[in-house]
Amino acid sequence: MRGLFTVAALLVATSVSAADKQLLWGDTHLHTHNSFDAITIGNRTIGPAEAYRYAKGEPVVHPYHRARVQIGEPLDFLVVSDHAEYLGTVRYIYENGVPTEGLGVFETLAAWFSSAVITFGIETKYGPLVFGSRLPVAEDPKIAGERIIEEGMPMGGLPPMPDVERSVWQEITNAADAANEPGEFTALIGWEWSSNAGGVNMHRIVITDSGAETAQQYQPFSFLNSPFPEDLWAWLEKTSASTQADFIAIPHNSNISKGYMFDKRTLRGEDFSPEYIALRAKWETVTEVTQIKGDSETHPTLSPDDEFADFETFDFYIQQDETPYVVAPGDYVRSGLRAGLEVQQALGDNPFQFGLIGSSDAHSGLAGAEEDNFHGKFAADSTPESKQGLVDLGDRRTPVGWDMAAAGLAAVWAEENTREAIMRALKRREVYATSGPRIGVRFFAGYEYGEGILDSAEFYAEAAAGGVPMGGELAARGDTAPEFLLIAEKEADGANLDRVQIVKGWVDEDGTSYEQVFDVVWTGERVPDENGDLPGVGSTVNIDNASYANTIGAARLQARWQDPDFNAEQHAFYYARVLEIPTPRHSLYDAVAMGEPLPAEVPATVQDRAYTSPIWYRPQ
C-alpha cells in the first residue's frame, strides 16, 4: 500500500551521506582458530592478526583448501569474537599437547584420550562429529543452567587451562590494538558468551570500546560462569564500573532459541522485574537479525500475511540429539519487538527496544558476506563439494554448507571510524542490518518536514531537526501522524532494488500486539491488486551460468510516507525493509562451477535485503 505522500523511484544512484555522519560497514561476529569449534572444523591457521588483514582487503591463505583468498570489498570495522568458553585451549592442545602436570593416572589417561580425539577430528573430515559430541542434550534450560553453575561442564576429560586462556586473551586484545587505525579501520575488542544450556541458543556477542590495556584487566565472562543473561549483565555492570570501559551485548540467532530469546519471562522462569528490564535495556541496545545460521526477522508461521517472511530459514538446533524445529514468538525479532510493546503496556518499560544489525558468524576467520565469494560458516565448508556435507550421517538431519546463508553485515552511521564513535552509534541504535549487500539506507520520522527535503543537500540536518533517525523514539505531537522519510540506494556494483516496505507493530488498549507490512515505494509500473498485494518484480537470474542483469528494478528509491491507519493513542514501532531484485545464491554459483544441476530442495536464488533499526512512537 502506498502512503499519503509522494514517492519517487530514480534510476541514477546519488549519495545519502551526511555532513556529520558517515556510513561504515563491518562485521561484529567473527571466529578464528581460538574458538574450539572453528579449529575442530577446519580452521588451523587463521588467527586474529590474519582475520584483521583479510577484513582490510589483504590476501591470505585459506585455512582449509590453502588457496589465496581475498575479500571483494574491505570492511571499515571488525570484531574478532571468539568463544569465551575454553578460549584457545583446543588450539593449544593441538599444537602443544594436553598439559597433564598435577593429574592422577586416570585423569591423565582421560586427558590423553580426549586430546587424541580432538587431533583426529582436526586432521580429518570428522571434525563436525567431534564437535557435535561436545554439545548439550535437549532439556529444560533452567535445570541445565543451574547444574552448570553448581558442577561446571568439563570438556571431555580435559583439565582446566586458565593460564592458556589468559595468554590467548592477551594475544587477541593485542592483535586488535595492532590492527586498529582510527579514522581508517576500527578493530574492536570482543568475545562471544555462548550460553546453550539444554540446547537453547541464548548467545551474545560482547563488545567493548576500550583497548588492550583495559581489556586485559579481566577475563571474558563465559557460559561456564553462568548461562543466564542477567548474570552476564550484572558482570558487565560491575566490570564497567571498575574499568571505566563501556560494553554492549548483542543477542544472535534468536531463531534457534526455542522461544526463550524474547520470551516474556526470564530463562530462570521468573517474571520480569524492573531491575531485569533496566539492565537488559541498558546493555542490549542492538540485536543481530541476520547471519550465516539464518535470518531471524520473522517466520511464515508468525507472519502468514508477509510474502517475504520465508527468507533463509534455518531450523537446526545446536545440540547432540535431533528434535523437531518448533516456531515460537520468542524466536524472532519482529515478534520480539511486539512482545516489548506488550510488556511496556503491562509494566511500564520495554525490555526489547533494540536496534538491528547483521554480521557473519563465520568460523573461518574470513569476514564478509559476498554471495559469489562465500567461504562458508566453517573453514571445511568452503568448497562446492564440502558444502554438500563432509560426512554421510544417513537419515540424521544436520545442516550442511548449502543450508547456510551468505550473510550478513552491520551498517553503522557514525561521526567517525573509531571505537568510541561506533560504540555510540550502537548505543543510540543508529545502525541497520543487511543480508550481505551494501545497500545505503536513511530512515527518519518527524513532523512538518519541508517539501524538498528528500533531495536536499542538508538532508540529515533537516531530518534530524524535525524528528529522529532509525533507532530513535518519537514523542507524540497531539493527534498528528508522524512523517517517515526513506532513502535507499543499491550497492555500487550490486543488484538493483525491488521495493521499500515499512513494517509496523502496535499494541491496543487491551495489551494485544499486531503487525502490518506496507509497500511504500517500488519500481516499474506494477499496481497492487484488489487485496493490496503488489506483483513481484520478476527475475533476470540465468540458472545456467549463475548471472543476472539489472534490467529491472532501480538504483535508488525514496519516499515520504504517513501511516494511513495511525492511532495517536497507541504505542507503535516502524522499521524499513529494503528488498533487492533476485540474484544468484551461493549454492547456484557452486552448482554451476561443478557443472551439475542444483538439487530441487536447495534454493538457486536469493532476494537480499536490508532492515533498519525501528523508530518507536510514544503517545502522550
Side-chain angles (χ1 to χ4, degrees):
M1 169 180 280
R2 290 184 186 261
L4 305 181
F5 281 79
T6 303
V7 296
L10 307 181
L11 295 178
V12 180
T14 58
S15 174
V16 293
S17 63
D20 55 344
K21 296 285 172 62
Q22 54 183 294
L23 180 57
L24 304 176
W25 294 99
D27 190 341
T28 64
H29 189 174
L30 182 76
H31 297 266
T32 73
H33 61 12
N34 288 316
S35 288
F36 58 86
D37 49 352
I39 188 171
T40 305
I41 313 180
N43 182 5
R44 286 184 270 178
T45 59
I46 298 289
E50 293 81 10
Y52 287 122
R53 285 177 45 215
Y54 181 85
K56 289 181 176 183
E58 298 178 25
V60 300
V61 175
H62 192 279
Y64 182 72
H65 55 65
R66 308 303 295 163
R68 173 174 50 82
V69 293
Q70 192 168 8
I71 196 171
E73 182 72 22
L75 298 178
D76 297 308
F77 64 92
L78 175 68
V79 182
V80 169
S81 56
D82 283 306
H83 297 287
E85 299 75 27
Y86 311 108
L87 184 64
T89 58
V90 171
R91 175 171 71 93
Y92 180 90
I93 290 169
Y94 178 70
E95 295 175 351
N96 303 285
V98 62
T100 58
E101 184 178 354
L103 299 182
V105 174
F106 293 109
E107 289 84 0
T108 298
L109 290 174
W112 279 346
F113 176 76
S114 186
S115 175
V117 170
I118 287 172
T119 300
F120 173 76
I122 291 173
E123 294 184 343
T124 69
K125 67 180 181 179
Y126 295 101
L129 297 184
V130 174
F131 167 61
S133 69
R134 266 57 177 181
L135 293 175
V137 297
E139 62 177 314
D140 185 296
K142 178 178 182 292
I143 295 173
E146 290 174 345
R147 183 173 64 248
I148 289 167
I149 291 175
E150 293 174 5
E151 303 175 8
M153 194 174 77
M155 192 175 178
L158 294 178
M161 289 181 274
D163 291 342
V164 171
E165 293 188 24
R166 280 191 291 270
S167 175
V168 171
W169 179 238
Q170 290 180 348
E171 169 196 326
I172 291 170
T173 54
N174 288 336
D177 273 13
N180 193 49
E181 302 175 67
E184 298 295 329
F185 178 86
T186 295
L188 288 144
I189 292 172
W191 70 92
E192 179 168 341
W193 175 78
S194 312
S195 175
N196 198 34
V200 171
N201 185 92
M202 298 294 283
H203 296 195
R204 268 79 169 170
I205 299 300
V206 181
I207 304 172
T208 180
D209 62 352
S210 71
E213 183 178 358
T214 300
Q216 289 171 14
Q217 296 178 35
Y218 55 81
Q219 193 67 18
F221 190 87
S222 88
F223 164 46
L224 304 181
N225 297 117
S226 173
F228 297 104
E230 57 268 34
D231 296 338
L232 169 64
W233 306 329
W235 183 90
L236 294 176
E237 191 84 7
K238 178 181 178 181
T239 307
S240 180
S242 65
T243 64
Q244 304 307 304
D246 202 359
F247 296 94
I248 184 173
I250 305 174
H252 71 85
N253 281 122
S254 61
N255 56 335
I256 50 174
S257 71
K258 300 184 180 180
Y260 285 96
M261 187 69 81
F262 305 123
D263 194 9
K264 291 190 283 188
R265 289 171 63 84
T266 74
L267 191 62
R268 286 186 165 102
E270 299 168 348
D271 292 334
F272 284 176
S273 66
E275 294 76 19
Y276 178 97
I277 294 175
L279 278 177
R280 184 163 191 157
K282 177 179 180 179
W283 297 114
E284 298 194 353
T285 57
V286 170
T287 288
E288 186 184 291
V289 66
T290 191
Q291 64 131 274
I292 286 175
K293 292 199 303 298
D295 193 83
S296 297
E297 186 215 4
T298 192
H299 189 279
T301 301
L302 302 171
S303 302
D305 297 327
D306 183 353
E307 63 178 306
F308 297 103
D310 190 11
F311 176 66
E312 293 290 0
T313 301
F314 185 86
D315 54 2
F316 300 89
Y317 296 124
I318 305 175
Q319 58 190 38
Q320 287 190 41
D321 44 338
E322 185 180 358
T323 57
Y325 183 75
V326 179
V327 179
D331 289 327
Y332 286 88
V333 162
R334 188 185 300 175
S335 50
L337 291 167
R338 288 176 54 181
L341 296 181
E342 294 172 350
V343 173
Q344 184 177 38
Q345 185 94 328
L347 301 180
D349 290 303
N350 187 342
F352 305 135
Q353 195 163 337
F354 47 73
L356 306 180
I357 61 165
S359 281
S360 71
D361 194 11
H363 282 54
S364 60
L366 308 176
E370 299 155 331
E371 206 76 49
D372 60 352
N373 190 33
F374 179 53
H375 299 292
K377 175 177 174 63
F378 294 102
D381 284 337
S382 56
T383 71
E385 291 88 354
S386 63
K387 282 187 193 174
Q388 300 172 73
L390 292 172
V391 183
D392 184 2
L393 299 177
D395 294 334
R396 181 175 173 80
R397 182 175 171 273
T398 59
V400 298
W402 281 348
D403 292 309
M404 308 296 177
L409 281 177
V412 173
W413 285 105
E415 297 87 357
E416 57 186 3
N417 191 357
T418 63
R419 287 168 169 169
E420 297 79 9
I422 291 171
M423 180 66 83
R424 287 194 298 269
L426 291 166
K427 290 284 188 175
R428 68 175 180 266
R429 302 181 292 257
E430 197 173 355
V431 298
Y432 65 96
T434 87
S435 58
R438 302 186 183 200
I439 304 168
V441 187
R442 274 296 194 193
F443 184 46
F444 280 83
Y447 303 97
E448 298 180 359
Y449 287 130
E451 285 301 319
I453 188 170
L454 290 175
D455 300 310
S456 171
E458 303 297 326
F459 172 77
Y460 184 92
E462 295 175 17
V468 298
M470 64 179 78
E473 188 176 68
L474 186 68
R477 184 175 293 183
D479 293 332
T480 304
E483 303 171 28
F484 292 88
L485 307 178
L486 275 162
I487 300 175
E489 293 178 332
K490 79 177 191 72
E491 184 175 17
D493 297 323
N496 277 345
L497 305 180
D498 164 19
R499 70 185 77 188
V500 177
Q501 300 174 308
I502 286 183
V503 179
K504 175 189 177 184
W506 71 98
V507 62
D508 65 17
E509 61 184 8
D510 296 325
T512 303
S513 68
Y514 304 87
E515 65 180 64
Q516 187 171 357
V517 179
F518 297 88
D519 288 310
V520 173
V521 56
W522 54 87
T523 61
E525 301 301 320
R526 292 174 284 169
V527 177
D529 62 21
E530 62 275 9
N531 297 318
D533 297 326
L534 183 68
V537 70
S539 177
T540 65
V541 174
N542 185 323
I543 300 296
D544 295 329
N545 63 13
S547 66
Y548 72 96
N550 274 331
T551 54
I552 58 175
R556 172 180 167 118
L557 294 170
Q558 64 183 40
R560 185 177 176 192
W561 180 84
Q562 277 184 310
D563 177 3
D565 303 318
F566 177 72
N567 185 327
E569 298 179 357
Q570 293 176 338
H571 283 274
F573 65 79
Y574 300 83
Y575 65 88
R577 182 170 67 182
V578 182
L579 300 176
E580 280 190 346
I581 65 172
T583 55
R585 191 175 183 268
H586 69 93
S587 47
L588 180 60
Y589 285 113
D590 287 343
V592 170
M594 292 186 295
E596 299 177 2
L598 192 66
E601 68 273 13
V602 179
T605 66
V606 63
Q607 199 158 2
D608 278 312
R609 56 201 60 193
Y611 307 112
T612 71
S613 290
I615 293 173
W616 287 265
Y617 169 79
R618 186 182 71 245
Q620 292 177 320

